[in-house]
Amino acid sequence: MKFQMINHASFLWEHDSIKLLTDPWLTGTAFDNGWGLLAKTRFTSEDFAEITHIWFSHEHPDHFHPQSLRTIPEEYRKRITILYQQSTDKKVIDWCRAFGFQQVIELSPDKWYSLSDDISVLCRPFPVGDSWLCIKTADMTILNLNDCEVSTTQEAKDILNRVGDIDLVWTQFSYAGWAGNKEDFLLRKKRAMEKLARVKKQVEVLQPLRDSLRQLRLVLSRRKLLHE
């Protein structure tokens, strides 16, 4: 199993024959030229040759970025499966089908989908317009919260009750929005502290790596007994 940070909110996750890419914003700007990437993306159009699936968390252009998708050669698009949350307007899935992605799956919020014999995914919407994705294998459960502002104990418990114990959480670590002008330091500090508090709450309730840490403690305690 491999993880690779691509850029912004985009990750590449590899396991067995599956190579799942999330939210590829690779080039250009977003939000009417208001946002730009801080670093140049090393992932190129030719790297899409090995991609089997692309998941978009939501429609915002720093996650669903048509300019980046247009860099994918047509022959690769025909082999890539698009995963997207169930929506009312169907704009994202309709765009993907029109652009030549031949396999587009609209993910029902109450259904696990098999990507292979060992990999299944569950995607559920989260207000407003966002969604999270859980990736489950025989050995690991990964939760990609992305921009979902899971802030309360109940919101986190609801996810935990649906997916079970979680080993790894990907979550938003920036307030990712306007927080005053250059001189508004205190406002930006407040937004940053709110973000840290949200991440802290997620960790406290979801307890990623709980089983792994328990096993590590067990191994260390056994080694201690052996040396006593």
Side-chain angles (χ1 to χ4, degrees):
M1 188 178 296
K2 294 181 181 179
F3 306 91
Q4 181 183 349
M5 177 68 182
I6 302 301
N7 211 328
H8 194 60
S10 184
F11 282 87
L12 174 59
W13 179 78
E14 303 179 42
H15 182 62
D16 294 339
S17 61
I18 301 299
K19 292 191 176 184
L20 171 63
L21 183 66
T22 68
D23 290 335
W25 175 23
L26 309 178
T27 185
T29 60
F31 296 110
D32 197 22
N33 298 324
W35 286 22
L37 295 167
L38 294 178
K40 184 178 180 180
T41 308
R42 295 183 179 181
F43 192 92
T44 69
S45 59
E46 283 304 311
D47 291 319
F48 282 101
E50 302 296 324
I51 299 301
T52 60
H53 297 76
I54 297 176
W55 173 71
F56 306 112
S57 59
H58 58 298
E59 192 182 346
H60 286 171
D62 59 324
H63 298 264
F64 172 69
H65 192 250
Q67 182 180 344
S68 294
L69 300 177
R70 289 189 179 98
T71 67
I72 306 175
E74 182 179 2
E75 61 180 307
Y76 302 158
R77 277 180 263 144
K78 292 179 180 179
R79 301 197 296 262
I80 295 173
T81 298
I82 297 295
L83 305 173
Y84 190 66
Q85 62 177 303
Q86 195 173 72
S87 62
T88 301
D89 58 34
K90 304 189 185 301
K91 289 190 296 185
V92 170
I93 61 172
D94 287 346
W95 188 94
C96 290
R97 286 177 177 139
F99 193 59
F101 293 102
Q102 293 188 0
Q103 182 74 356
V104 180
I105 301 177
E106 192 173 13
L107 302 171
S108 171
D110 296 306
K111 179 180 177 181
W112 286 92
Y113 290 81
S114 295
L115 304 187
S116 73
D117 291 340
D118 186 42
I119 303 170
S120 58
V121 297
L122 175 69
C123 177
R124 284 190 60 83
F126 192 91
V128 178
D130 294 323
S131 71
W132 52 259
L133 183 75
C134 182
I135 308 170
K136 190 179 286 288
T137 72
D139 302 317
M140 180 173 282
T141 298
I142 302 161
L143 178 66
N144 187 348
L145 290 176
N146 223 299
D147 283 2
C148 296
E149 295 187 351
V150 177
S151 305
T152 68
T153 297
Q154 188 55 51
E155 288 171 337
K157 281 186 174 180
D158 180 66
I159 296 174
L160 199 60
N161 290 336
R162 294 180 185 279
V163 307
D165 291 343
I166 297 167
D167 297 294
L168 181 64
V169 173
W170 297 338
T171 189
Q172 187 193 60
F173 54 84
S174 167
Y175 46 75
W178 182 80
N181 296 322
K182 184 177 181 180
E183 66 275 10
D184 296 323
F185 169 78
L186 291 179
L187 178 58
R188 289 196 298 279
K189 183 177 180 179
K190 178 184 177 182
R191 292 287 186 270
M193 296 306 295
E194 289 170 350
K195 177 60 63 178
L196 290 174
R198 182 176 299 137
V199 173
K200 182 174 183 289
K201 174 65 68 175
Q202 293 169 4
V203 172
E204 288 174 346
V205 180
L206 299 175
Q207 296 186 52
L209 290 176
R210 170 175 45 191
D211 289 340
S212 298
L213 290 173
R214 187 182 297 120
Q215 292 172 9
L216 177 59
R217 292 191 190 102
L218 181 60
V219 169
L220 292 175
S221 66
R222 286 175 176 171
R223 287 181 178 177
K224 182 179 179 182
L225 288 173
L226 289 173
H227 288 86
E228 287 180 348

